[in-house]
Amino acid sequence: MYSPADLEFMQLALDEARKASFISNPNPRVGCVIVKDNQVIGHGHTQMVGGPHAEVQALANAKAQGHSVEGATVYVTLEPCCHHGRTPPCTDALINSRVAKVIAAMEDPYPLVAGKGLQVLKENGIEVRCGLYEKEAADINPGFIKRIQTGMPWVRLKIASTLDGTTALNNGVSQWITDNQARLDGHRWRAQACAILTGIGTIQEDDPQMTVRGIDTPRQPLRVVIDSQLKISLNAKILEGGNTLVICANPDPAHFENMRRELLVHKVALINLPNEHGKVDLPAVFKYLAQTLQVNEVHVEAGNKLNGSLIKEDCVDELLMYFAPTLIGPGIGIANLGPFESLENRYDWQFIDQTLIGDDLRLRLTKISAAT
């Protein structure tokens, strides 16, 4: 059994992990607190790639405050790493610091760790426990966990809609259905993603930048455009500043090569990922993002056609929906699905949470697996 103090300190570690939401990708978001004589003497969270991990950050924080960590208890939201990557093993730092106990929220699914970090600590005389607030820790890192376990990223589909399920008028006007607070909240979700994905329809209709704005973040996610026929204008705002990937499907070879050269000038990458129907192979897109670019989370903001395709091809893990308290009648819907002749063809989801954001209602849902 864990003590009330254990629960409190691990909650503090989880709070630390959340501080890494905008900076740690593609590494997991990890938080750590170090406790001695029932007092927190050090805390930290994962820094940007190549920077200190949470445990090393917490050890440095304790040292900066003049505290000795010998005999202390370390609360960490993910098993300490025991391998050499961009940084040395966190297990070495903990062992050399002579801490007495490590309580981890969950094991690291990464194959080079996967229980080995905890075993190394045990073999060096450190008391180890694991499993405190495991679900909460996992919920902070859905993309990292899914990428490591399946080779695919966590895909979050963002939608802003009226109460009657309309995302835009029939003439395409959609700005703005939700208010400023909801839009700012949407940018927070953009900021924690590794990539923001949209379709050529949205680019042609709205010419969005697809960047994080209004949020203090040191990094901008990769921008990804699904453009089967390679129709994107070289003046599109989403190409500005580079950091963009355009994905097409079997375009004319001469047009492809010409666009590849033109986009390269903008520091924009272009790849061809067709399916058998001459469209972009959406599952292959996410496989490429996860396995080639180490993308953990993809934030999708697209139109109803691409939304429908993503749902039909089982690419979406989570719905992030903002409902404005208004009705506008017929227009463009949330996703191009159906029409169905039976309710058995429907797509069922389960709620994660629901929150009022200003005057708008935010719902988060995850898909119900076939086994549910």
Side-chain angles (χ1 to χ4, degrees):
M1 296 293 292
Y2 293 102
S3 70
D6 290 332
L7 303 182
E8 177 186 353
F9 294 132
M10 186 59 81
Q11 287 173 343
L12 293 177
L14 291 167
D15 289 341
E16 283 289 330
R18 296 183 184 100
K19 294 178 184 178
S21 292
F22 299 166
I23 64 174
S24 70
N25 293 322
N27 290 334
R29 302 152 185 156
V30 183
C32 178
V33 298
I34 302 174
V35 176
K36 194 171 184 179
D37 298 326
N38 215 36
Q39 297 292 322
V40 174
I41 61 171
H43 60 87
H45 55 272
T46 312
Q47 300 300 297
M48 294 186 73
V49 172
H53 289 187
E55 301 92 325
V56 172
Q57 192 80 350
L59 290 168
N61 179 256
K63 182 178 180 180
Q65 298 180 73
H67 297 299
S68 168
V69 300
E70 184 172 354
T73 298
V74 176
Y75 295 84
V76 62
T77 59
L78 187 70
E79 174 186 8
C81 65
C82 56
H83 67 291
H84 284 271
R86 294 184 179 92
T87 59
C90 291
T91 50
D92 286 359
L94 293 170
I95 292 165
N96 293 336
S97 298
R98 303 177 66 84
V99 301
K101 182 189 295 187
V102 172
I103 298 179
M106 63 176 289
E107 286 191 7
D108 189 338
Y110 189 59
L112 292 179
V113 187
K116 301 180 185 72
L118 298 176
Q119 185 60 36
V120 166
L121 295 175
K122 288 180 185 178
E123 291 172 353
N124 282 272
I126 296 175
E127 183 182 347
V128 171
R129 300 187 71 185
C130 186
L132 176 59
Y133 286 131
E134 180 176 9
K135 181 183 183 301
E136 289 79 0
D139 287 345
I140 294 173
N141 286 296
F144 173 78
I145 293 171
K146 186 182 179 191
R147 177 171 68 85
I148 296 303
Q149 292 181 339
T150 71
M152 299 290 277
W154 184 267
V155 180
R156 182 178 291 111
L157 175 58
K158 182 256 185 180
I159 297 165
S161 169
T162 62
L163 290 178
D164 47 352
T166 300
T167 61
L169 299 176
N170 282 324
N171 61 9
V173 173
S174 62
Q175 298 178 347
W176 298 102
I177 287 177
T178 53
D179 67 14
N180 288 331
Q181 292 186 56
R183 294 198 296 276
L184 183 61
D185 188 71
H187 277 267
R188 292 191 181 95
W189 290 98
R190 282 186 183 183
Q192 75 174 45
C194 299
I196 301 171
L197 183 144
T198 192
I200 186 60
T202 298
I203 300 302
Q204 293 177 326
E205 190 71 41
D206 299 332
D207 195 21
Q209 298 176 60
M210 287 297 174
T211 55
V212 178
R213 299 183 298 280
I215 302 296
D216 185 17
T217 176
R219 50 170 284 278
Q220 287 287 341
L222 173 71
R223 298 173 293 182
V224 181
V225 181
I226 303 299
D227 183 8
S228 291
Q229 298 179 44
L230 200 47
K231 294 180 177 180
I232 193 165
S233 166
L234 294 173
N235 295 318
K237 292 178 182 177
I238 200 167
L239 303 181
E240 294 175 359
N243 194 36
T244 304
L245 170 66
V246 178
I247 305 177
C248 62
N250 282 334
D252 174 76
H255 179 52
F256 177 87
E257 184 57 29
N258 180 61
M259 285 294 289
R260 187 192 66 80
R261 289 195 299 267
E262 294 282 358
L263 291 171
L264 193 60
V265 173
H266 293 264
K267 299 182 180 179
V268 172
L270 172 64
I271 62 172
N272 185 30
L273 287 178
N275 63 17
E276 59 185 6
H277 306 294
K279 301 290 187 180
V280 170
D281 188 329
L282 295 173
V285 167
F286 295 114
K287 182 178 180 180
Y288 175 84
L289 292 176
Q291 298 185 17
T292 303
L293 303 183
Q294 291 188 302
V295 165
N296 291 334
E297 291 183 19
V298 179
H299 178 93
V300 179
E301 294 190 28
N304 75 328
K305 290 183 179 179
L306 182 52
N307 289 350
S309 296
L310 290 168
I311 291 171
K312 285 185 283 189
E313 296 194 44
D314 198 27
C315 293
V316 179
D317 297 289
E318 179 182 335
L319 297 177
L320 175 67
M321 308 185 72
Y322 298 87
F323 285 96
T326 187
L327 303 168
I328 62 174
I332 298 173
I334 288 171
N336 184 22
L337 299 171
F340 300 140
E341 295 182 357
S342 170
L343 288 176
E344 293 180 357
N345 299 126
R346 67 191 184 191
Y347 297 87
D348 290 331
W349 301 77
Q350 57 190 359
F351 288 105
I352 301 173
D353 59 39
Q354 50 276 327
T355 308
L356 278 176
I357 307 291
D359 292 329
D360 301 314
L361 176 63
R362 186 189 75 192
L363 301 179
R364 293 176 59 226
L365 306 96
T366 186
K367 65 184 178 183
I368 299 177
S369 66
T372 300

